[in-house]
């Protein structure tokens, strides 16, 4: 799914008006109904009866007035507070008159902070003051009102975009700190960054029927990965498929005291569907790997403790290197040799990235189309510090283009930057995955997919998505605190099963006939 700019959204709205021959007011009514239906799904009237709408006098306020009227008709107790800004849009005034005419909703004008009511804790506050129309820092009386709202213990919902949040650049002033945000058609670009989480909360988005053909022709650099994205990537296996069709992956990993990383990556690579997996470890890891992952073949290094050399690189479909590797000089030299003699996409993680951070003159040896998987600190070591997430995003894009590689910056909404300068933000995963070894599991998944073969872009998008989905499935039973990296591997099968609803139905049918299965 494309993440549209505000300018593109306005253009799509105008295209909808022209194509359907409707008015702005009709589209506003559609947006309000969409919001009202979403709110009713999340907070049913029987459990959450009272809603307080804070509306500005622009189109976002008009959306709020229309939604307040609709929700009142749906059985909610609704009160509206209006803070009039410098101008009132025509659509706002129309919705204001319609709300007054309904006679069902109490409307109160707010002229200053002193007029802000004391909300009952049971009320849900709906922010419809400004939406995404702000392009400068919030200041003055409105900033004080926003800060006062944030101090309330109530659940806060933002309609389209939290007031004060700048949708396409860093926010440097106050904003509503919403618990939930619903945007229309696509999420906003600013929703993707961790420093805006306290402002946006849990975000959702719903279509208001903007023309998809028009949107399909709009240029975009940013995408949000959805189940529909994955459905277009995921490859179902044929009945007569065999291991020879799913590639031979080589994992160069582990060192004395760090064999756990190699085990996690190897198990994940196998669970991701690689046909054959060989893991290259120092000789001290032989018994450890053979005992922990009997499905994998083991290739031993000449050195007892660290990686120093590898032969026959060409017989592997794909190679991954870095997890638990160490950064000793012998290992550094071996990595340099591998990069110089490898001309197909390679997965680089952990200590491989730390070595490259110390030797930027080696970056030119990285095979084109390779996949780099840094966490924020590794990214900083390689490419330098950034003042904010927007700046880091640009640094990510630029380096992916310059190096002609895929860079996965790990975290919430992990971002995949491509050699073409596009970025894909992931939609799965949870804070419980912030635990030791989670990145090793991702490396294994990526390697397994790349071997099968998926293209590097497909492997990145599918790999990051299914990694997060396994975490989302595991956390239901394990909790965020109790989640361990090995749990992600255990739930990979269920994650892949969830990608293919037809296979899931077949499995249920088989189980009904054969309960043992």
């Amino acid at each position: 799914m494309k993440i549209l700019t505000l300018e593109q959204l306005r253009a799509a709205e105008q295209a909808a008006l022209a194509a359907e021959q409707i008015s702005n007011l009709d589209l506003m009514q559609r947006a309000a109904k969409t919001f009202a239906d979403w709110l009713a799904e999340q907070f049913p009237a029987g459990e959450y009866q009272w809603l307080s709408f804070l509306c500005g006098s622009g189109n976002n306020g008009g959306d709020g007035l229309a939604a307040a009227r609709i929700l009142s008709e749906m059985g909610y107790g609704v009160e509206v507070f209006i803070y009039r800004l410098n101008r009132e849009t025509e659509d706002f005034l129309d919705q204001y008159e319609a709300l007054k005419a309904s006679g069902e909703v109490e409307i109160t004008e707010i002229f200053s902070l002193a007029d802000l009511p004391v909300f009952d804790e049971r009320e849900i506050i709906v922010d419809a003051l400004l939406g995404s129309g702000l392009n400068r820092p919030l200041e003055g009386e409105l900033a004080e009102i926003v800060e006062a709202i944030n101090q309330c213990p109530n659940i806060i919902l933002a309609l389209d975009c939290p007031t004060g949040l700048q949708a396409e650049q860093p926010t440097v002033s106050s904003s509503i700190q919403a618990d939930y945000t619903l945007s229309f058609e696509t999420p906003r670009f600013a929703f993707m960054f961790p420093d805006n989480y306290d402002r946006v909360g849990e975000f959702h988005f719903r279509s208001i029927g903007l023309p998809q053909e028009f949107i399909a022709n709009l240029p975009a650099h940013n995408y949000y990965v959805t189940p529909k994205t994955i459905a277009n990537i995921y490859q179902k296996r044929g009945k007569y498929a065999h291991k020879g069709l799913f590639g031979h992956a080589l994992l160069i990993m582990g060192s004395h005291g760090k064999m756990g990383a190699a085990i996690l990556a190897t198990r994940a690579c196998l669970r991701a569907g690689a046909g054959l997996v060989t893991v290259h470890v120092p000789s001290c890891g032989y018994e450890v790997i053979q005992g922990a992952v009997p499905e994998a073949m083991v290739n031993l290094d000449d050195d007892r403790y660290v990686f120093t050399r590898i032969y026959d690189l060409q017989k592997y479909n794909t190679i991954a290197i870095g997890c638990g590797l160490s950064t000793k000089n012998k290992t550094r030299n071996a990595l340099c040799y591998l990069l110089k003699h490898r001309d197909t996409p390679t997965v680089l993680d952990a200590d491989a990235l730390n070595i490259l951070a110390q030797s930027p003159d080696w970056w030119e040896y990285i095979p084109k189309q390779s996949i780099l998987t840094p966490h924020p600190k590794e990214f900083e070591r390689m490419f330098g510090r950034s003042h904010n997430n927007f700046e880091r995003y640009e640094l990510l894009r630029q380096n992916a283009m310059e190096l002609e590689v895929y860079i996965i910056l790990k975290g919430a909404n992990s971002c995949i930057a491509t050699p073409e300068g596009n970025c894909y933000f992931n939609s799965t995963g949870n804070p419980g995955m912030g635990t030791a070894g989670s990145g090793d599991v991702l490396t294994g998944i990526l390697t397994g997919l790349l071997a099968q073969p998926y293209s590097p872009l497909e492997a990145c998008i599918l790999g990051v998505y299914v990694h997060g989905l396994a975490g989302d499935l595991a956390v239901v039973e394990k909790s965020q605190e109790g989640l361990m990296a090995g749990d992600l591997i255990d739930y990979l099968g269920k994650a892949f099963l969830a990608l293919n609803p037809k296979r899931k139905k077949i499995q249920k049918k088989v189980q009904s006939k054969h309960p043992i299965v």
Side-chain angles (χ1 to χ4, degrees):
M1 167 182 281
K2 293 177 180 177
I3 299 175
L4 302 181
T5 66
L6 297 180
E7 183 180 351
Q8 288 174 325
L9 279 168
R10 294 188 190 103
E13 289 171 0
Q14 292 304 310
L17 301 182
E20 299 181 49
Q21 296 186 332
I22 59 176
S23 67
N24 278 320
L25 198 63
D26 293 325
L27 195 59
M28 179 176 283
Q29 190 70 19
R30 189 187 296 177
K33 181 66 165 62
T34 300
F35 178 80
D37 288 343
W38 170 81
L39 187 150
E41 290 173 15
Q42 305 296 317
F43 305 96
E47 300 176 36
Y48 302 87
Q49 297 181 350
W50 297 99
L51 307 174
S52 289
F53 277 75
L54 294 163
C55 299
S57 52
N59 283 350
N60 186 243
D63 290 340
L65 295 177
R69 177 166 45 82
I70 294 168
L71 285 160
S72 174
E73 295 168 356
M74 295 168 66
Y76 290 86
V78 179
E79 188 171 8
V80 169
F81 301 89
I82 295 177
Y83 181 81
R84 295 184 187 267
L85 304 167
N86 294 333
R87 67 183 185 88
E88 299 164 335
T89 64
E90 184 177 336
D91 292 332
F92 165 82
L93 293 172
D94 286 340
Q95 295 291 1
Y96 177 71
E97 293 301 326
L99 185 62
K100 276 206 311 183
S102 73
E104 298 296 325
V105 176
E106 183 178 345
I107 303 173
T108 303
E109 299 275 351
I110 294 176
F111 299 99
S112 69
L113 178 61
D115 297 325
L116 197 68
V118 176
F119 298 102
D120 188 287
E121 290 188 13
R122 294 169 296 177
E123 294 178 67
I124 292 176
I125 298 174
V126 179
D127 165 34
L129 288 165
L130 279 178
S132 56
L134 186 71
N135 56 12
R136 56 185 174 78
L138 208 60
E139 57 187 8
E141 188 103 51
L142 183 55
E144 294 179 2
I145 289 173
V146 162
E147 284 296 333
I149 293 168
N150 288 337
Q151 297 305 311
C152 297
N154 307 68
I155 294 173
I156 301 176
L157 312 182
L159 196 163
D160 186 46
C161 189
T163 293
L165 178 72
Q166 298 190 56
E168 295 173 351
Q169 58 187 1
T171 300
V172 295
S173 64
S174 300
S175 77
I176 286 289
Q177 294 179 355
D179 297 291
Y180 300 88
T181 298
L182 178 76
S183 63
F184 299 127
E185 215 60 42
T186 73
R188 304 293 174 258
F189 183 49
F191 294 2
M192 300 298 112
F193 298 120
D195 49 358
N196 286 330
Y197 175 75
D198 288 341
R199 305 173 190 270
V200 177
E202 181 181 308
F203 70 81
H204 299 242
F205 54 94
R206 293 282 176 91
S207 174
I208 55 173
L210 300 186
Q212 294 305 302
E213 185 176 349
F214 180 86
I215 291 174
N217 291 321
L218 291 172
H221 285 306
N222 299 311
Y223 298 83
Y224 188 64
V225 177
T226 66
K228 186 176 179 180
T229 313
I230 298 303
N232 293 327
I233 293 174
Y234 178 59
Q235 300 173 15
K236 302 177 182 67
R237 295 190 170 190
K239 178 178 179 180
Y240 297 101
H242 54 83
K243 66 182 180 182
L245 298 177
F246 303 120
H248 190 173
L250 172 67
L251 304 174
I252 304 172
M253 300 185 172
S255 60
H256 187 257
K258 295 182 179 180
M259 293 309 301
I263 292 170
L264 289 169
T266 304
R267 290 185 63 222
C269 186
L270 286 159
R271 285 284 188 197
L276 294 166
V277 176
T278 295
V279 56
H280 180 95
V281 295
S283 58
C284 68
Y286 177 70
E287 290 84 0
V288 176
I289 290 288
Q290 288 276 252
V293 198
E295 300 89 346
M297 296 174 283
V298 180
N299 191 334
L300 293 181
D301 198 273
D302 294 340
D303 193 279
R304 177 167 176 77
Y305 298 110
V306 294
F307 165 59
T308 61
R309 67 181 67 192
I310 185 73
Y311 305 101
D312 299 327
L313 293 175
Q314 301 312 313
K315 74 178 187 179
Y316 303 103
N317 297 93
T318 192
I319 295 176
I321 182 169
C323 302
L325 196 67
S326 94
T327 57
K328 294 186 179 296
N329 284 337
K330 289 186 286 187
T331 301
R332 288 170 50 85
N333 294 335
L335 173 63
C336 185
Y337 175 88
L338 182 147
L339 295 177
K340 286 182 177 180
H341 292 83
R342 181 73 180 170
D343 59 0
T344 55
T346 300
V347 182
L348 300 163
D349 186 28
D351 280 336
L353 300 178
N354 291 326
I355 291 171
L356 288 170
Q358 297 167 1
S359 307
D361 51 319
W362 293 359
W363 293 3
E364 64 179 288
Y365 306 139
I366 300 173
K368 306 306 179 190
Q369 303 289 301
S370 287
I371 301 172
L372 282 61
T373 62
H375 58 56
K377 278 297 180 184
E378 289 165 345
F379 182 85
E380 183 179 297
R381 285 194 281 270
M382 285 193 74
F383 304 117
R385 293 187 177 183
S386 305
H387 293 98
N388 56 64
N389 281 289
F390 286 81
E391 186 178 293
R392 186 167 62 180
Y393 158 84
E394 284 299 331
L395 198 59
L396 175 67
R397 282 186 68 237
Q398 291 300 319
N399 280 286
M401 288 189 288
E402 289 174 13
L403 296 174
E404 297 181 54
V405 298
Y406 295 85
I407 304 177
I408 301 173
L409 181 56
K410 295 180 289 195
N413 300 126
S414 291
C415 182
I416 303 160
T418 76
E420 296 76 29
N422 297 323
C423 284
Y424 294 81
F425 292 90
N426 188 47
S427 58
T428 58
N430 61 78
M433 296 173 68
T435 186
S438 182
D440 303 321
V441 173
L442 176 61
T443 295
I445 295 170
L446 294 168
T447 310
L449 294 173
L450 198 58
Q452 289 189 49
Y454 285 90
S455 71
L457 177 60
E458 291 170 338
C460 287
I461 295 174
L462 178 57
V464 172
Y465 184 90
V466 81
H467 178 252
L469 182 57
D472 290 339
L473 293 169
V475 79
V476 175
E477 294 183 2
K478 303 293 185 179
S479 81
Q480 291 185 1
E481 295 80 3
L483 192 66
M484 296 194 303
D487 298 327
L488 303 178
I489 302 169
D490 294 339
Y491 279 83
L492 271 178
K494 288 186 177 181
F496 279 109
L497 186 63
L499 304 184
N500 187 351
K502 184 177 179 181
R503 188 199 294 172
K504 202 171 183 180
K505 290 177 184 176
I506 292 171
Q507 186 187 47
K508 285 183 179 179
K509 189 174 181 180
V510 171
Q511 286 175 334
S512 69
K513 291 182 178 180
H514 308 284
I516 296 175
V517 176

